[in-house]
């Protein structure tokens, strides 16, 4: 009989131990799963930060190239202006198609081109594409049904 109680106690102990081990392992598995999700989130965040950093670096390089290109274009325009517009002309090469005062006026206005702004006129209403009254050139004919 002593063995029977011993076997029953061992069986109950085994069942209680198995249930406790199962509960403990499930709890540990949940914590392990949360830890994996946390590690994955951290990896994604660091990858996102790298992507943003690379994007900003690329944008910065492109903006620098754009500024360089703009300054080269401005220098080219200035040099072309100096060569084409403001180049001194010798007296023998100069052919004057206009009167002296007109030539002087044109030369002065070339220096002021950058300062002038185009002014747009303000229109009160749009022009009409038709006249207000009938001219009588086109008359409506009464239909035969009437």
């Amino acid at each position: 009989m002593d063995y029977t109680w011993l076997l029953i106690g061992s069986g109950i102990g085994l069942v209680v131990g198995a249930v406790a081990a199962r509960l403990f392992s499930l709890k540990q598995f949940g914590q392990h799963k949360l830890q994996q999700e946390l590690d994955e989130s951290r990896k994604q965040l660091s990858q996102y930060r790298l992507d943003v950093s690379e994007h900003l670096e690329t944008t910065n390089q492109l903006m620098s190239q754009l500024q360089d290109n703009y300054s080269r274009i401005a220098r080219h325009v200035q040099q072309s202006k100096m060569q084409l517009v403001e180049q001194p002309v010798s007296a023998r090469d100069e052919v004057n198609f206009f009167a002296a005062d007109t030539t002087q006026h044109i030369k002065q206005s070339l220096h002021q081109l950058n300062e002038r702004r185009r002014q747009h006129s303000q229109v009160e209403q749009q022009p009409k594409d038709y006249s207000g009254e009938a001219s009588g050139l086109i008359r409506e004919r009464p239909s035969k049904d009437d």
Side-chain angles (χ1 to χ4, degrees):
M1 181 112 171
D2 288 331
Y3 291 115
T4 326
W5 289 105
L6 183 63
L7 285 176
I8 293 173
S10 299
I12 292 173
L14 269 172
V15 169
V16 169
V19 168
R22 179 78 176 152
L23 289 175
F24 182 73
S25 67
L26 285 177
K27 188 175 181 182
Q28 288 296 326
F29 179 73
Q31 289 177 354
H32 181 69
K33 186 177 177 181
L34 287 175
Q35 185 64 37
Q36 285 178 342
E37 289 177 6
L38 178 63
D39 292 341
E40 183 66 27
S41 296
R42 285 181 179 164
K43 287 178 185 176
Q44 288 176 354
L45 179 62
S46 65
Q47 182 62 40
Y48 176 75
R49 286 180 177 169
L50 282 173
D51 291 344
V52 169
S53 175
E54 289 174 3
H55 171 74
L56 292 176
E57 182 64 29
T58 303
T59 304
N60 188 21
Q61 289 174 355
L62 290 173
M63 290 298 291
S64 296
Q65 289 176 358
L66 185 64
Q67 287 174 345
D68 292 342
N69 289 340
Y70 177 75
S71 63
R72 279 191 281 173
I73 289 171
R75 270 188 266 124
H76 174 72
V77 168
Q78 185 64 28
Q79 288 172 354
S80 297
K81 181 181 174 187
M82 294 295 290
Q83 291 173 353
L84 299 175
V85 178
E86 298 176 356
Q87 185 177 25
V89 179
S90 63
R92 61 187 168 110
D93 292 340
E94 186 174 341
V95 177
N96 197 355
F97 295 103
F98 302 108
D101 60 337
T102 306
T103 306
Q104 184 63 29
H105 179 69
I106 290 173
K107 286 182 181 179
Q108 287 176 354
S109 64
L110 285 177
H111 294 291
Q112 297 172 355
L113 280 178
N114 294 339
E115 298 172 5
R116 292 186 180 172
R117 300 282 187 239
R118 185 174 179 181
Q119 296 178 354
H120 298 282
S121 62
Q122 298 294 329
V123 178
E124 297 294 324
Q125 66 184 37
Q126 289 188 340
K128 294 182 180 180
D129 292 339
Y130 57 89
S131 62
E133 300 176 12
S135 64
L137 293 176
I138 301 176
R139 294 187 183 174
E140 292 184 19
R141 296 183 183 167
S143 64
K144 293 181 180 180
D145 296 335
D146 289 339

